[in-house]
């Protein structure tokens, strides 16, 4: 297993659109294992392949309290979203130390392939629903700050660039 580097906003590679996985083979399983390790190490509740500069439709999620229930979504697709919306305070490993409210459908149904390449469907609410939508946005090249005002986004970009500079200075 290996830890992967997480891209930070406003890196343009975060806006690339991921391609579907043609076959869940050993190469994909290795990516999934490395993504899970990277997510747990961060720690985060989800990670999309886009965030580690792999532009294929792969998501790992673990919203369990003890971080011991990994869920793998390959080629995830939204099959239904509820008309009701819910606001949630979101964070992102690609936008460190910034949190803000985003409105999204409260409940979603997602179809995907599991780690064995077998199709399954889940209905999700709460954090799993938020996380699935957040990760599927990443695969489309969308970061949650794009739901915020232009003013907020500009401030976030400046803050992230400043932070990146400070981190380089510390090395
Ligand atoms: O770790 C994460 N927490 C989180 C909290 C609220 C809404 C979404 C998330 S996802 C985030 C990890 C991440 O950046 N995934 O892309
Ligand atoms: Ni994210």
């Amino acid at each position: 297993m290996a830890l992967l580097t997480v891209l930070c906003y406003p890196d343009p590679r975060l806006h690339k659109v991921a391609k579907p996985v043609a076959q869940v083979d050993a190469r994909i399983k290795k990516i999934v294992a490395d993504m899970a390790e990277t997510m747990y190490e961060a720690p985060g509740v989800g990670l999309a392949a886009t965030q580690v500069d792999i532009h294929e439709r792969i998501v790992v999620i673990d919203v369990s309290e003890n971080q011991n229930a990994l869920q793998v979504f390959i080629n995830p697709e939204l099959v239904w979203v509820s008309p009701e919306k819910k606001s949630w305070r979101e964070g992102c490993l690609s936008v460190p130390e910034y949190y803000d409210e985003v409105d999204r459908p409260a409940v979603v149904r997602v179809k995907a392939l599991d780690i064995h390449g077998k199709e399954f469907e889940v209905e999700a609410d709460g954090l799993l629903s938020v996380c699935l939508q957040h990760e599927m946005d990443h695969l489309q090249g969308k970061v949650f700050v794009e739901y915020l005002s232009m003013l907020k986004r500009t401030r976030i970009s400046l803050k992230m660039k400043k932070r990146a500079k400070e981190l380089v200075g510390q090395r």
Side-chain angles (χ1 to χ4, degrees):
M1 299 227 288
L3 279 179
L4 306 170
T5 303
V6 178
L7 301 176
C8 273
Y9 187 82
D11 192 309
R13 291 171 290 182
L14 285 170
H15 304 304
K16 290 173 79 167
V17 177
K19 294 199 165 64
V21 169
Q23 203 184 344
V24 184
D25 55 16
R27 183 183 69 87
I28 298 298
K29 286 175 185 168
K30 162 89 168 103
I31 293 172
V32 167
D34 291 346
M35 283 176 61
E37 189 184 0
T38 304
M39 173 184 72
Y40 287 125
E41 159 73 22
V45 296
L47 189 72
T50 308
Q51 292 177 277
V52 290
D53 204 20
I54 296 171
H55 304 283
E56 301 185 61
R57 295 188 60 84
I58 307 169
V59 164
V60 295
I61 294 180
D62 191 339
V63 292
S64 70
E65 207 161 302
N66 301 322
Q67 294 252 283
N68 59 0
L70 180 68
Q71 291 182 274
V72 178
F73 299 85
I74 296 164
N75 298 343
E77 299 292 345
L78 279 175
V79 295
W80 178 80
V81 301
S82 68
E84 318 84 72
K85 302 279 174 92
K86 192 177 184 339
S87 180
W88 200 284
R89 203 169 142 81
E90 298 193 18
C92 183
L93 296 174
S94 298
V95 192
E97 294 161 39
Y98 184 83
Y99 303 86
D100 214 333
E101 299 278 333
V102 178
D103 239 24
R104 298 182 187 271
V107 188
V108 295
R109 279 194 75 83
V110 171
K111 186 177 84 174
L113 301 179
D114 67 15
I115 191 66
H116 309 293
K118 191 172 177 300
E119 192 174 295
F120 70 102
E121 219 175 282
V122 287
E123 187 166 294
D125 62 7
L127 180 57
L128 181 58
S129 168
V130 175
C131 196
L132 273 165
Q133 294 176 74
H134 175 117
E135 304 313 341
M136 290 173 71
D137 274 352
H138 274 304
L139 298 180
Q140 291 298 334
K142 186 159 182 173
V143 180
F144 86 102
V145 298
E146 288 167 67
Y147 291 103
L148 308 175
S149 68
M150 187 58 93
L151 175 65
K152 278 188 176 178
R153 240 188 296 161
T154 304
R155 285 183 180 154
I156 293 162
S157 286
L158 287 170
K159 192 176 151 183
M160 294 302 146
K161 285 175 183 163
K162 183 161 172 268
R163 187 179 180 279
K165 253 190 209 158
E166 283 166 3
L167 287 177
V168 171
Q170 279 171 23
R171 290 199 307 185

